Amino acid sequence: QVQLVGSGGGLVQAGDSLRLSCAASGRAFESYSMGWFRQGPGKEREFVAAISWNGDSTEYADSVKGRFTISRDSAENTVFLQMNNVKPEDTAVYYCAVDWDISAMKSGPLDANWGQGTQVTVSS
């Protein structure tokens, strides 16, 4: 059984930085792409960022490009999301996800910690 456990959320002010982590267990994730989705209040769930199995490729939503950086520690099956210069519109529950490749993940991830995400709240 796959387990994805996110951490690092909280309440911050606009312009601050925050780092989310997600540890995966229950499967050998070194061959999987990993990524993040989010769902803000009253909004649809949206893709945020993803990183390939070897870290060579990354993709970001336009809304976070230049502010967020995704990285991974494959040895620890952990993916990170460094969030800089956060904005109130970044307020959301953040979910981590896995899939065979980034394209597949953006269409609907193989697995994710839906229902157990990490809350990020950005005050103005």
Side-chain angles (χ1 to χ4, degrees), residues 38-123:
R38 69 184 181 185
Q39 187 166 18
K43 298 181 180 179
E44 296 290 321
R45 186 182 298 155
E46 63 176 351
F47 167 79
V48 176
I51 187 168
S52 62
W53 69 274
N54 60 0
D56 284 355
S57 297
T58 57
E59 287 195 26
Y60 297 91
D62 289 343
S63 58
V64 306
K65 280 181 182 177
R67 300 188 298 119
F68 291 10
T69 302
I70 189 170
S71 61
R72 67 186 293 168
D73 182 338
S74 294
E76 297 295 329
N77 285 339
T78 301
V79 63
F80 306 97
L81 187 67
Q82 179 66 43
M83 306 166 63
N84 296 331
N85 189 25
V86 295
K87 303 176 180 181
E89 50 264 44
D90 295 321
T91 294
V93 178
Y94 284 73
Y95 303 96
C96 54
V98 296
D99 210 319
W100 290 109
D101 59 59
I102 293 176
S103 294
M105 181 184 301
K106 293 173 67 176
S107 300
L110 180 66
D111 212 336
N113 60 340
W114 309 130
Q116 299 177 346
T118 300
Q119 177 69 49
V120 172
T121 303
V122 183
S123 63

